[in-house]
Every structure is written in C-alpha cells, then in structure tokens.
Amino acid sequence: MIALRRPSLAKQLAGDRIAAVGRRGKYPVIELASGRKLVVSLRMTGRLIVQRQTDALYPYTNVFIDFTDGTRLAFADVRRFGRMRLVQKEEMWDSELGIEPLSREFDIPRFAAILKGRPTAIKAFLLDQRRIAGVGNIYAAEALWVSQIKPATPAGKLSRERVGRLHAALQAVLLKAIEMRGTSSRDYVDAEGMEGGFQNELTVYGRAGEPCPRCKKPLVRTVLAQRGTWWCRNCQR
Ligand SMILES: [Zn+2]
C-alpha cells in the first residue's frame, strides 16, 4: 500500500498490507497486517472500486490507495457523505452496533430476547443499527412482507411463532441479496463495478400501487419513523 490522495492518511498507511476484507453491519472493513482497520461508510452513494493504476481514475474518486502490485482501491462518492476511518489496533469502534443477523449467535431465542418489551414498530426496530446491524430499508420491507407482518406492529408484541417467521425471512432475504451482489435500485455497484441483481427480486419495495404478488391487492407506501415503507395492507397483519 503506497499512496493515497489524502496526505494525512497516506503517511499512516504507507508500507502496510491488507490482511483481510470483511464487513460489520453496513460497513466494509479492510483489515491491515498491522492490526489496524480501515472502516468504510458508504452512506448513500459511496463506492469502493478496485482498478488498475493505469486505468482512468474512477469518476468522483475522493480517496485512492495504490498498491505495489499495480492495483488501486478507489473510494468514490458523488454526494460525499461517505467516510473512511483508520481504526487503531485496540480501538473499539463498533460498540454501538448490534448483533449480526447472519451470525450463529443470532438465533430465534436471541432475536426474541432483543425484541422483548420493545414498543417500537418492528420496521423501525429492524432499521435500528444498535439492535441488529446491517438491515436497511429495502431488506426490512422485504422481510416483513415475506413473514406477513404489518410494519407498525410493536416489536415486543410479536408472538414466538411470528418472531420465528421473521427471523427466517430476514436471513433468507439477506442471503439472497448477498448472492445477487446487492440491490442497485439507484446507482450501487460492487467493488468490481458491477450492478447488483436484487432489484429484480424486490416484491414490495418501491412498488406502491402494483398488485401484491401473494394476494393481488394493491401494495401501499406509508411513512413510518420518517422512512418510506412498502407493504400489503391485506396480507401483512
Ligand atoms: Zn398481499
């Protein structure tokens, strides 16, 4: 790792190597051989792109890192809300983030315990990154439709049977989205510059007025905790 357009970061990163690339919640995490981490917040329009240093710089690149093998990691962001943060070796950076929904620890009893007594609408609860990390608006809407749960239902009021259904739906939706390389409902592309495919699998998100694929009644869009919420009034209860 040799150069970076932002000089303060460049000095700190010079000579380090990438050991692994992972994710925590919505944040890609680049683990360095030194034990430090580069944590990336993509926000609305941020992208990480791997390219050759001889290629034209990716449009709207704010930061790039050049490697000794001739590759370049570009962090591009049209709206510039994205962030890249260098986390020191022992630094706790994710204590505000909740459980990973695809982890082994996230089983049905654990999910039920997290929901217990919470008056928050289940849709807003799913988006709260301090409870469960990594579920966004699209995937929350889809999982609630699959499990036939009304988005405004208080989280703590779900029966054990419905908690089990939602747990299965959440994991299925997330795994399918990962398999399809994400959702390019606006302009998301992955590190290879490829669009995701999950936008073609969406059953409710962005489909107000279209027939519910299950019961054929028109889907609706309402606003819940300031977020657009797509659902079926007929078969989500
Ligand atoms: Zn329906």
Side-chain angles (χ1 to χ4, degrees):
M1 200 181 282
I2 51 173
L4 193 82
R5 208 168 65 175
R6 198 152 289 180
S8 58
L9 256 182
K11 221 177 266 172
Q12 296 185 64
L13 290 175
D16 212 337
R17 280 184 304 112
I18 291 183
V21 178
R23 176 195 59 78
R24 175 80 172 99
K26 296 181 180 179
Y27 307 104
V29 178
I30 301 169
E31 295 175 32
L32 305 177
S34 60
R36 301 177 300 172
K37 297 180 180 79
L38 260 182
V39 177
V40 184
S41 172
L42 297 168
R43 301 293 294 276
M44 298 298 287
T45 54
R47 316 175 159 183
L48 285 173
I49 299 288
V50 177
Q51 54 172 197
R52 306 291 309 169
Q53 287 164 27
T54 47
D55 294 342
L57 195 59
Y58 198 81
Y60 302 104
T61 292
N62 303 122
V63 175
F64 64 83
I65 303 171
D66 283 349
F67 299 90
T68 45
D69 70 352
T71 58
R72 166 176 288 162
L73 178 67
F75 181 44
D77 190 0
V78 182
R79 292 170 69 178
R80 306 181 74 110
F81 289 134
R83 294 286 178 268
M84 212 173 205
R85 177 177 157 200
L86 183 62
V87 174
Q88 298 303 319
K89 201 171 175 182
E90 306 294 339
E91 193 182 339
M92 283 292 293
W93 68 274
D94 65 347
S95 53
E96 298 270 285
L97 291 178
I99 192 166
E100 287 289 328
L102 294 175
S103 66
R104 192 169 304 185
E105 296 74 46
F106 185 71
D107 55 14
I108 294 170
R110 184 72 187 274
F111 189 26
I114 296 170
L115 296 170
K116 195 176 178 208
R118 299 286 172 185
T120 319
I122 185 60
K123 162 88 184 325
F125 191 93
L126 292 176
L127 298 183
D128 185 346
Q129 302 297 302
R130 296 167 302 178
R131 310 289 175 208
I132 299 168
V135 181
N137 203 27
I138 294 174
Y139 303 125
E142 294 295 316
L144 288 168
W145 181 83
V146 170
S147 52
Q148 294 185 248
I149 295 169
K150 183 179 172 178
T153 311
K157 288 267 196 285
L158 292 172
S159 67
R160 186 53 79 105
E161 187 263 329
R162 306 181 91 203
V163 170
R165 247 164 43 201
L166 179 55
H167 180 271
L170 254 186
Q171 292 196 328
V173 165
L174 291 172
L175 286 171
K176 181 85 180 164
I178 290 169
E179 184 194 321
M180 305 205 68
R181 313 168 73 106
T183 306
S184 296
S185 69
R186 285 188 192 144
D187 51 9
Y188 170 78
V189 292
D190 69 13
E192 284 155 15
M194 286 176 67
E195 280 192 2
F198 196 70
Q199 64 278 9
N200 304 317
E201 304 289 315
L202 296 174
T203 47
V204 287
Y205 184 86
R207 297 192 181 277
E210 294 181 30
C212 168
R214 191 163 42 220
C215 74
K216 312 299 175 207
K217 293 275 196 302
L219 297 167
V220 294
R221 176 189 186 274
T222 57
V223 176
L224 188 63
Q226 286 109 52
R227 303 298 303 275
T229 299
W230 288 263
W231 59 292
C232 176
R233 278 190 204 280
N234 186 50
C235 63
Q236 285 176 255
R237 308 247 165 188

